[in-house]
Amino acid sequence: MNLILKGSICYSKSLRELATLEGGYIVCEGGVSRGVFREVPEKYSTFSVADYGESVIIPGLVDLHLHAPQYSYRGLGMDLELLDWLSTHTFPEESRYAELDYADKAYSAFVDNLKRGSTTRAGVFATIHAPATLLLMEKLEHSGLVTLVGKVNMDRNSPDFLREASAQSAYEATRAWIEQSLGKFRNTAPIISPRFVPTCTGELMRGLGELQKEFGLPVQSHLSENRGEIAWVKELHPRAEFYGEVYDSYGLFGGDGVPTIMAHCVWSHGAEEALLRENGVYIAHCPQSNTNLASGIAPIRRFLEGGQRVGLGTDVAGGCHTSIFRAMTDAIQCSKLRWRLVEQNDAPLTVPEAFYLGTIGGGSFFGKVGSFEDGYEFDAVVIDDSPLAATNPLPLEDRLARIIYLSNDSQIRAKYVRGKKV
Amino acid sequence: MNLILKGSICYSKSLRELATLEGGYIVCEGGVSRGVFREVPEKYSTFSVADYGESVIIPGLVDLHLHAPQYSYRGLGMDLELLDWLSTHTFPEESRYAELDYADKAYSAFVDNLKRGSTTRAGVFATIHAPATLLLMEKLEHSGLVTLVGKVNMDRNSPDFLREASAQSAYEATRAWIEQSLGKFRNTAPIISPRFVPTCTGELMRGLGELQKEFGLPVQSHLSENRGEIAWVKELHPRAEFYGEVYDSYGLFGGDGVPTIMAHCVWSHGAEEALLRENGVYIAHCPQSNTNLASGIAPIRRFLEGGQRVGLGTDVAGGCHTSIFRAMTDAIQCSKLRWRLVEQNDAPLTVPEAFYLGTIGGGSFFGKVGSFEDGYEFDAVVIDDSPLAATNPLPLEDRLARIIYLSNDSQIRAKYVRGKKV
């Protein structure tokens, strides 16, 4: 785990500050970055150097929100909105993961794709099926990526073929799955994953809150994605002032050291927005999914200025694409349309800002992750951008912009996670 | 030019009607389609059959609007709006095409890319430089694609390094270029191309209108892309009721058998919208460019219901991507955001509608182009979608949706233009 990479290095120092260095060296000691240097410091002179020449080296990208069983049907049903899309495509497909043979085939394709891409860390939803979820965790562990994986919970408002029989049995199955998976892997760990409020009874959410406390696990779910969904939550929980308060009432909404990711937050505002911030909940911004399902555009500029924690998610298969580079450009593009058409006080996101969101923004959910500064875990992606070559030499910041807008997985030369080449 | 293709065939019959046939045959006689059949009709039984197995065969895609000299810097300057982006990136880069050596290098890369992709026909802007424009036309002719190429006109409000010296000299240079290029090529022809109203004096536009009439040429330009641009046109031409009226007053806005493409039309409405329709002007919808430059979202549903002629454009490099598949998904996604955030009476575009726009929609500018029905010119693209394979067999319509959302150029197996493999 001691090594040095040489190349054209790009990483974020803060939301607005992009650091670039051509022909620079990143030192990795014991899986942790010791920083970026123009020359190799004397004390690291014994470390071996992998020289990637002109290739661009960036921190590994972080996908805060995606659904492994939905990879199989990405690009389908895109003419529907959220709730119709769930019942027409998502639920029937997810029910197939009751069969381990099917899960084996489909999850293999998913993990192969994730490994080939530029993502090094991810928050992943599986299905309600514990055996298939364990299988997915084994495959992800084998990939070398760092992931949090959730057996999904749903015990109401779901079709018979994809519903846990009762809150009690869901609790027991989830508990057993946690006991089987927690501590079993080096890079893969369980995360509490109620699908969303409409599909989870209060009794089940209470049980999940207890499991969270008992095992000290992180939490992931969905929040305020679509106006129809929000109205439905209001019907189901008329006494809750806002959607997020329902999760919060069961200890599933951050605060008290409960690391929590809420995907979407397209329509979060007022008291919900305040509680997200107060509780340090991570917002997984999934712009392509929010576009494909006609949900809307999350107010990311306002969130950032308000001090929210924000990362990016592909939300496969609400989003069709598994690349966080695509999520960066989608985030920029959506922010421009929101600025032009909805709220002229919220300036568009810039390329350096979107790059920050896809690296440190989501990476910080996993600890010191998403940068090459001293002390960060060493996740890196090496990209050969020569197929994108311009007719004139470009500064490194412009080369990075072109990689973000134009590159594809075939241009990835190498990928390192926690100092290990994967 | 007599041949038969066998495969999984998809084409539009109308805006809403997608035709699909697995294991079907398309007959091409003398470069023209004779239709799609379940079995080869007896009278074509001597034609040779190219059997593409399970691969998907679609009509060639049509890019109604892109800038060849901007290919070199796609993906750069995306944090700017139109007028700043023009002065910072576009104008300096376009000025380099005064040098033929540079044009040779840059246009070769552009044409190679266009040839590799799924586009078979395009409306292309070059620069103000006639020699480089002729070079581009030669390269495009050699590619086998069908293109209309414009030497750009600009004689005001442009930097010294990228401005024609006077209306008279611009007229003369354009006339000479038309005489040199018209009728010289089989698949490549000149198109009158004032950049846009702000960069063309009335005298120059009058001259271009005369050249249009004299040589019977088509016209392409830009219209109502950005609100700052529209306000500028209003300042320059205070007596014109709307932007398009300026072109119209010089005979550059359709009508009287003048085939005309106007790119963008993001903010066209009222009298301008009426004149577009009345004059049969083609609207080149360039959703990604309109997003990247924060221009807005064109009201395509309203245009279609109002009987406008609409095709798709990549607008490289306002749009970063050269693929009309990407333009289709961008068009769908933008229409969803417009529906959700701006105008709930304008329903989103569907996948079959976007496919129509990228084939027949723009293709009809070139004649009977964009379908496989009897009498259409035979442009076809063969795509191996097996890398996108789902875990379950999919109906052909769903396979097409995945190709549109997820495929890339590497999956193209063959391309035919006017019956000839290119």
Side-chain angles (χ1 to χ4, degrees):
Chain A
M1 306 291 196
N2 291 345
L3 79 161
I4 294 172
L5 304 193
K6 183 180 185 190
S8 299
I9 300 165
C10 301
Y11 60 101
S12 294
K13 292 188 142 180
S14 66
L15 182 61
R16 289 191 183 78
E17 194 185 355
L18 180 72
T20 61
L21 182 61
E22 292 184 47
Y25 300 86
I26 318 168
V27 174
C28 168
E29 186 177 37
V32 173
S33 177
R34 287 296 151 227
V36 171
F37 305 92
R38 290 184 183 280
E39 303 291 341
V40 177
E42 181 57 32
K43 63 177 168 175
Y44 304 120
S45 59
T46 59
F47 289 16
S48 69
V49 177
D51 186 345
Y52 286 107
E54 295 294 307
S55 288
V56 174
I57 308 176
I58 61 169
L61 304 187
V62 180
D63 190 342
L64 272 193
H65 183 72
L66 80 169
H67 294 263
Q70 299 179 14
Y71 175 75
S72 57
Y73 65 92
R74 67 205 190 287
L76 295 183
M78 295 282 90
D79 292 342
L80 302 172
E81 277 192 85
L82 174 65
L83 300 178
D84 291 335
W85 178 77
L86 286 174
S87 59
T88 309
H89 286 268
T90 304
F91 293 163
E93 176 65 16
E94 288 197 8
S95 72
R96 306 185 69 149
Y97 291 76
E99 293 168 38
L100 265 186
D101 280 356
Y102 186 80
D104 190 17
K105 185 169 74 162
Y107 281 152
S108 293
F110 166 76
V111 174
D112 284 352
N113 178 280
L114 201 66
K115 186 174 174 180
R116 268 200 311 277
S118 44
T119 295
T120 51
R121 311 227 174 190
V124 181
F125 280 68
T127 64
I128 60 172
H129 313 97
T133 305
L134 280 167
L135 183 65
L136 172 62
M137 295 175 86
E138 281 162 16
K139 288 179 188 294
L140 283 166
E141 176 70 10
H142 190 68
S143 75
L145 309 181
V146 177
T147 55
L148 294 163
V149 181
K151 176 193 132 24
V152 170
N153 288 110
M154 42 203 297
D155 70 336
R156 67 171 172 179
N157 295 318
S158 315
D160 290 344
F161 56 78
L162 190 71
R163 189 175 62 230
E164 296 177 288
S166 68
Q168 184 60 29
S169 67
Y171 171 88
E172 285 165 8
T174 303
R175 185 187 182 86
W177 161 72
I178 293 169
E179 288 173 340
Q180 282 178 282
S181 62
L182 186 61
K184 181 177 177 187
F185 305 108
R186 185 172 176 276
N187 289 325
T188 316
I191 180 168
I192 300 278
S193 305
R195 179 165 216 121
F196 66 156
V197 165
T199 64
C200 298
T201 60
E203 186 186 346
L204 175 52
M205 286 191 276
R206 185 173 305 112
L208 295 176
E210 288 167 14
L211 289 173
Q212 187 287 318
K213 273 198 194 62
E214 180 178 350
F215 294 99
L217 296 184
V219 174
Q220 63 181 358
S221 195
H222 299 83
L223 181 70
S224 296
E225 175 176 2
N226 167 295
R227 282 172 161 169
E229 170 211 16
I230 295 167
W232 191 13
V233 170
K234 188 74 196 165
E235 270 177 44
L236 293 167
H237 299 269
R239 284 189 292 187
E241 194 195 336
F242 52 89
Y243 189 163
E245 192 183 291
V246 182
Y247 293 121
D248 192 52
S249 66
Y250 299 110
L252 299 169
F253 203 68
D256 297 329
V258 184
T260 299
I261 301 167
M262 285 286 152
H264 308 307
C265 305
V266 173
W267 300 103
S268 297
H269 68 282
E272 180 165 286
E273 189 172 346
L275 191 60
L276 282 164
R277 183 179 55 246
E278 192 181 312
N279 284 1
V281 173
Y282 275 73
I283 294 167
H285 177 42
C286 306
Q288 189 185 143
S289 173
N290 300 155
T291 301
N292 284 336
L293 299 175
S295 302
I297 303 174
I300 300 303
R301 171 64 63 202
R302 191 180 81 212
F303 287 161
L304 291 173
E305 290 186 347
Q308 303 282 4
R309 296 172 172 179
V310 182
L312 297 178
T314 59
D315 194 25
V316 165
C320 305
H321 297 93
T322 51
S323 163
I324 287 293
F325 286 136
R326 174 71 188 251
M328 292 177 191
T329 61
D330 288 332
I332 293 167
Q333 291 170 335
C334 285
S335 74
K336 287 173 175 173
L337 292 176
R338 190 173 180 278
W339 175 57
R340 176 62 68 231
L341 302 173
V342 180
E343 176 52 68
Q344 293 179 43
N345 290 317
D346 290 347
L349 299 176
T350 64
V351 173
E353 287 174 333
F355 184 69
Y356 173 91
L357 293 180
T359 54
I360 298 176
S364 57
F365 188 78
F366 291 85
K368 288 202 82 166
V369 170
S371 177
F372 292 138
E373 294 200 294
D374 186 17
Y376 275 77
E377 293 190 52
F378 189 85
D379 294 359
V381 180
V382 184
I383 297 163
D384 172 15
D385 65 341
S386 61
L388 307 176
T391 39
N392 311 309
L394 292 174
L396 188 46
E397 183 165 348
D398 282 353
R399 289 171 61 197
L400 177 65
R402 285 165 67 97
I403 287 171
I404 291 172
Y405 275 97
L406 299 171
S407 73
N408 64 49
D409 291 354
S410 72
Q411 288 145 16
I412 297 173
R413 286 183 66 184
K415 199 158 122 172
Y416 295 82
V417 182
R418 290 178 166 166
K420 193 173 162 215
K421 196 167 179 179
V422 297
Chain B
M1 305 292 196
N2 291 345
L3 79 159
I4 293 172
L5 304 193
K6 183 180 184 190
S8 300
I9 299 164
C10 301
Y11 61 102
S12 293
K13 293 188 141 181
S14 66
L15 181 61
R16 289 190 181 79
E17 194 185 355
L18 181 72
T20 62
L21 181 61
E22 292 184 47
Y25 299 86
I26 318 169
V27 174
C28 169
E29 186 178 37
V32 173
S33 176
R34 287 295 151 226
V36 172
F37 304 93
R38 290 185 183 279
E39 303 292 340
V40 177
E42 182 56 31
K43 63 177 169 177
Y44 305 121
S45 59
T46 59
F47 290 16
S48 69
V49 176
D51 186 344
Y52 286 109
E54 295 293 308
S55 288
V56 174
I57 309 176
I58 61 168
L61 304 186
V62 179
D63 191 342
L64 272 192
H65 183 72
L66 80 169
H67 295 263
Q70 299 180 13
Y71 176 75
S72 57
Y73 65 92
R74 68 204 189 287
L76 295 182
M78 296 281 89
D79 292 342
L80 302 171
E81 275 192 87
L82 174 65
L83 301 177
D84 291 336
W85 178 78
L86 286 174
S87 59
T88 310
H89 287 267
T90 304
F91 293 162
E93 176 66 16
E94 288 197 8
S95 72
R96 307 186 70 150
Y97 290 76
E99 294 169 37
L100 266 186
D101 280 356
Y102 186 79
D104 190 18
K105 185 169 73 162
Y107 280 152
S108 292
F110 166 75
V111 174
D112 285 351
N113 178 280
L114 201 65
K115 187 174 173 179
R116 268 201 311 276
S118 43
T119 295
T120 51
R121 310 227 174 189
V124 182
F125 281 68
T127 64
I128 60 172
H129 313 97
T133 304
L134 280 166
L135 183 65
L136 172 63
M137 294 175 88
E138 282 162 16
K139 288 179 187 295
L140 282 166
E141 177 71 8
H142 189 68
S143 75
L145 308 180
V146 176
T147 55
L148 294 163
V149 181
K151 176 193 128 32
V152 170
N153 288 109
M154 42 203 299
D155 71 337
R156 67 171 172 180
N157 295 318
S158 314
D160 290 345
F161 56 79
L162 189 69
R163 189 176 60 230
E164 296 177 288
S166 68
Q168 183 61 29
S169 68
Y171 171 88
E172 286 164 9
T174 303
R175 184 187 183 85
W177 161 73
I178 292 169
E179 288 172 340
Q180 284 179 282
S181 62
L182 186 61
K184 181 176 179 190
F185 306 108
R186 184 172 177 276
N187 289 324
T188 315
I191 180 168
I192 301 277
S193 305
R195 179 167 216 120
F196 66 157
V197 166
T199 63
C200 297
T201 60
E203 186 186 349
L204 175 53
M205 286 190 277
R206 185 173 305 111
L208 295 177
E210 288 166 14
L211 289 173
Q212 188 287 317
K213 272 197 196 59
E214 180 178 352
F215 294 99
L217 295 184
V219 175
Q220 62 181 358
S221 195
H222 299 84
L223 181 69
S224 297
E225 174 177 2
N226 167 295
R227 283 174 160 168
E229 169 211 16
I230 295 167
W232 192 13
V233 170
K234 189 73 196 163
E235 271 177 43
L236 293 166
H237 299 268
R239 283 190 291 187
E241 194 195 334
F242 51 89
Y243 188 162
E245 192 182 292
V246 183
Y247 294 120
D248 192 53
S249 66
Y250 299 109
L252 299 169
F253 203 67
D256 296 330
V258 184
T260 300
I261 300 167
M262 285 286 153
H264 308 308
C265 305
V266 173
W267 300 102
S268 296
H269 68 282
E272 180 164 285
E273 189 172 346
L275 191 61
L276 282 164
R277 184 180 53 246
E278 192 181 313
N279 284 3
V281 173
Y282 276 73
I283 294 167
H285 177 42
C286 306
Q288 189 184 143
S289 172
N290 299 155
T291 300
N292 283 337
L293 299 174
S295 302
I297 303 175
I300 299 305
R301 170 65 61 201
R302 191 180 80 213
F303 288 161
L304 291 173
E305 289 185 350
Q308 304 281 3
R309 296 172 172 180
V310 182
L312 298 178
T314 59
D315 193 25
V316 165
C320 305
H321 297 95
T322 51
S323 164
I324 287 292
F325 286 136
R326 174 70 188 252
M328 292 178 192
T329 61
D330 288 333
I332 294 168
Q333 291 169 336
C334 285
S335 74
K336 286 173 176 174
L337 292 176
R338 190 173 181 279
W339 174 58
R340 176 61 69 231
L341 302 172
V342 178
E343 177 50 68
Q344 293 179 44
N345 290 316
D346 290 350
L349 298 176
T350 64
V351 172
E353 288 174 331
F355 184 69
Y356 174 92
L357 294 179
T359 53
I360 298 177
S364 57
F365 188 78
F366 291 84
K368 287 202 83 166
V369 171
S371 178
F372 291 138
E373 294 199 295
D374 186 19
Y376 274 78
E377 292 190 52
F378 189 86
D379 294 0
V381 181
V382 184
I383 297 164
D384 172 15
D385 66 340
S386 59
L388 308 176
T391 39
N392 312 309
L394 292 174
L396 188 46
E397 184 166 349
D398 282 353
R399 288 171 62 196
L400 178 65
R402 285 165 67 97
I403 287 171
I404 291 171
Y405 275 98
L406 299 170
S407 73
N408 64 50
D409 291 353
S410 71
Q411 287 144 18
I412 297 173
R413 285 183 67 184
K415 199 159 121 172
Y416 296 81
V417 182
R418 290 178 166 165
K420 194 175 162 213
K421 197 166 178 179
V422 298

